[in-house]
Amino acid sequence: MDTPTIQGRLLKAPENFIDPAGVKTVFQEAKAGRRHFIRQAFAAAATGLATGTALAQANPVPAGGGDPNILQLPEHTRGLGQGVATDGYGKPSRFEVNVQRRQSPGLTQTTQSSVSFAPLQSLFGIVTPSGLHFERHHQGWWDIDPSKHRLMVNGLVKQNMVFTMDELMRLPSVSRFHFIECGANTGMEWGNVAVPTCQYSHGMLSCSEFTGVPLIRLLELAGADLKQGKFVLAEGADGSSMTRTIPMSLITSGEVLVAYGQNGEMLRPENGYPLRLVVPGVQGVSWVKYLRRLEVGDQPYATKDEAIHYIDLLPDGTHRQYTGIQEVKSVVTTPSGGQVLLDKGFYNITGLAWSGRGKVSRVDVSVDGGRHWRQARIEGPSMSKCLTRFNLDWVWNGQPAIIQSRATDETGHVQATYKQLRAVRGSRSIYHNNAIQSWLVQENGEVKNVQVS
Ligand SMILES: Nc1nc2c(c(=O)[nH]1)N[C@H]1C(S)=C(S)[C@@H](COP(=O)(O)O)O[C@H]1N2
Ligand SMILES: [Mo]
């Protein structure tokens, strides 16, 4: 595992880690240094004349003369900054280099059939920057030439149709914010605690503004038989032959999009450029990337990715199929596993909540392992089938604390405890684990992933 403890803010760096100016220092400064720094600055200004010589030595006299008795100013205040467009496509600050999507070593044999997890603990608000969007590929990603890409619509239609990207992009478009969560997110935690951080426990989750054409428009153009045609098969153009059955009821509601846009620009290649299906509320596998074909049919297709994969193993040994909706779920992202609270005192407990059935209506937070709950503030837009940010004020008294969040959605579904979930689903499943997550804050400030029975 590459530098496993460096996941983002509030993290203590391991001994051998050379922190360029690290986020940790920001917090240390906030704790002890800032007032001291201000006091020093004032003292220097007041004794300006007396310390004039020392300052003049430390501070070069500007070319062409000038007052040497000025405060010691940093280079970025005295010098000339960089010009525009040195980076035609901008990048994050070099100080943010530890905010990365990461793989879980040993999870898969090849990186082409693997997952990278989004660094949820380092993100603000609800939008996942496109470069940090989690990735899940069954056979590697491609950067497909959009001028050569085609989308075919066939099956129970009057007229088979083939669209070019240009043709699709001439149609009226919509833009909507939605989360995408892999059905296997949190899947490693079914039996016991397995991973250290929320990046690994919940990071197969991202949220973007997607732009595209409602799939129903394309079906109308092709004259689809919406009486007989109860399902649509979606097929990707990569070697994984990713094929999924989408129920027509989701499509006629206008929610399912054939999308080319993500956060204001074209989709990233890793996320399906130039075209992917967006199926709000439904597990990621149905969001077929490199989308090349849609077939209207009268029954589910029972493809490999729905007959034998993405199914729920139940305690009696049977499997459940076609359980694609991502039920109500939430996770506290700070404080979370791998982070370190530097001192007791005030903290903003913050996290994300979402539901595949609609809006999140309420989030409760406990700091004592579920004995008492306080209602968290839901911040900013609370949209349907979209990530929702919640915050709660908390003063840590330095004692061990177990932090949990419990979300409720607008249909009344409430997130279950592990005990409740395992009673119904067992502990050997992979998919659709939406249990309440617990983080233990230890006396030394270190935060650990734990499960409360
Ligand atoms: N064509 C194609 N579509 C695909 C996949 C794939 O491997 N190939 N993986 C699926 C799975 S399992 C998930 S969780 C999501 C992941 O989307 P992302 O890589 O944009 O995060 O894409 C889905 N669509
Ligand atoms: Mo997935």
Side-chain angles (χ1 to χ4, degrees):
M1 196 184 298
D2 53 340
T3 52
T5 52
I6 309 161
Q7 304 290 331
R9 292 165 188 82
L10 278 178
L11 279 180
K12 202 160 68 183
E15 237 71 283
N16 59 353
F17 173 58
I18 302 153
D19 190 345
V23 259
K24 180 187 161 215
T25 22
V26 175
F27 280 87
Q28 284 177 331
E29 188 195 303
K31 195 178 87 181
R34 196 166 287 150
R35 237 183 291 138
H36 180 61
F37 171 79
I38 293 168
R39 221 182 294 127
Q40 259 190 337
F42 272 109
T47 56
L49 272 177
T51 55
T53 337
L55 276 174
Q57 275 164 5
N59 228 10
V61 179
D67 181 5
N69 295 327
I70 50 170
L71 284 175
Q72 178 89 26
L73 295 173
E75 174 64 22
H76 54 78
T77 311
R78 289 183 284 125
L80 191 58
Q82 301 185 52
V84 293
T86 29
D87 228 347
Y89 195 106
K91 288 191 199 68
S93 161
R94 66 200 151 106
F95 301 113
E96 298 298 315
V97 70
N98 296 319
V99 181
Q100 304 234 341
R101 40 188 182 196
R102 292 172 192 278
Q103 306 179 50
S104 184
L107 190 64
T108 54
Q109 288 192 353
T110 64
T111 59
Q112 284 89 351
S113 166
S114 198
V115 179
S116 71
F117 299 83
L120 302 182
Q121 71 285 352
S122 303
L123 303 182
F124 312 118
I126 58 171
V127 171
T128 313
S130 296
L132 295 173
H133 193 290
F134 85 95
E135 301 159 275
R136 170 73 177 108
H137 318 302
H138 289 76
Q139 216 246 9
W141 61 271
W142 297 93
D143 197 1
I144 293 175
D145 181 346
S147 70
K148 300 213 172 82
H149 191 69
R150 299 288 182 271
L151 174 67
M152 177 160 126
V153 180
N154 71 327
L156 299 173
V157 295
K158 282 211 183 73
Q159 173 79 50
N160 290 344
M161 292 190 83
V162 175
F163 295 91
T164 64
M165 286 303 297
D166 283 336
E167 285 163 350
L168 288 172
M169 292 174 80
R170 282 172 67 175
L171 296 172
S173 68
V174 298
S175 295
R176 293 185 193 140
F177 289 88
H178 289 297
F179 76 82
I180 167 173
E181 182 183 23
C182 176
N185 200 22
T186 325
M188 289 178 277
E189 302 277 307
W190 267 111
N192 46 266
V193 166
V195 296
T197 67
C198 83
Q199 178 156 14
Y200 292 118
S201 65
H202 289 75
M204 280 196 262
L205 170 76
S206 293
C207 183
S208 302
E209 185 194 43
F210 292 99
T211 298
V213 184
L215 170 51
I216 187 69
R217 294 286 96 79
L218 302 185
L219 297 189
E220 285 165 0
L221 285 173
D225 179 346
L226 298 180
K227 280 224 178 77
Q228 292 274 321
K230 296 257 180 299
F231 300 93
V232 167
L233 178 82
E235 178 186 83
D238 55 329
S240 70
S241 304
M242 179 54 66
T243 36
R244 294 283 306 182
T245 302
I246 314 294
M248 192 62 89
S249 53
L250 291 177
I251 297 166
T252 47
S253 77
E255 281 195 1
V256 177
L257 306 181
V258 171
Y260 43 80
Q262 178 182 349
N263 296 330
E265 59 184 0
M266 288 296 286
L267 291 162
R268 293 291 170 93
E270 306 95 291
N271 305 121
Y273 182 91
L275 203 61
R276 92 175 300 169
L277 204 61
V278 166
V279 194
V282 173
Q283 61 182 340
V285 65
S286 290
W287 296 46
V288 174
K289 301 190 277 191
Y290 320 109
L291 183 68
R292 74 166 173 205
R293 194 168 71 90
L294 296 160
E295 180 181 309
V296 181
D298 57 1
Q299 50 190 333
Y301 285 80
T303 69
K304 71 168 167 45
D305 285 300
E306 51 203 22
I308 56 167
H309 301 301
Y310 299 90
I311 51 177
D312 299 328
L313 175 62
L314 298 176
D316 66 1
T318 58
H319 279 104
R320 261 190 338 197
Q321 294 172 319
Y322 298 105
T323 49
I325 291 183
Q326 296 297 107
E327 301 289 355
V328 65
K329 190 166 170 181
S330 69
V331 64
V332 169
T333 53
T334 292
S336 64
Q339 296 183 324
V340 179
L341 304 190
L342 294 171
D343 201 354
K344 47 188 175 189
F346 182 84
Y347 286 91
N348 178 46
I349 295 178
T350 190
L352 294 164
W354 61 100
S355 166
R357 293 189 185 273
K359 288 183 187 173
V360 170
S361 54
R362 178 185 174 125
V363 182
D364 295 288
V365 169
S366 173
V367 294
D368 59 7
R371 270 182 223 111
H372 303 89
W373 295 89
R374 276 199 293 155
Q375 191 170 352
R377 293 191 308 276
I378 287 183
E379 297 294 344
S382 172
M383 293 181 274
S384 183
K385 307 176 185 179
C386 182
L387 291 190
T388 302
R389 172 66 61 177
F390 64 86
N391 288 323
L392 186 75
D393 297 349
W394 180 48
V395 178
W396 183 43
N397 61 8
Q399 297 298 305
I402 293 179
I403 302 187
Q404 302 179 325
S405 62
R406 183 183 66 195
T408 306
D409 72 17
E410 61 178 343
T411 69
H413 278 69
V414 186
Q415 236 183 309
T417 63
Y418 265 105
K419 198 174 171 191
Q420 293 166 326
L421 198 63
R422 283 176 182 144
V424 182
R425 303 275 315 276
S427 58
R428 297 179 57 213
S429 200
I430 299 172
Y431 301 103
H432 312 126
N433 175 358
N434 68 328
I436 291 172
Q437 170 68 41
S438 305
W439 304 117
L440 168 67
V441 180
Q442 297 174 313
E443 255 169 296
N444 64 2
E446 287 177 18
V447 188
K448 282 220 152 75
N449 184 5
V450 293
Q451 290 187 0
V452 177
S453 54

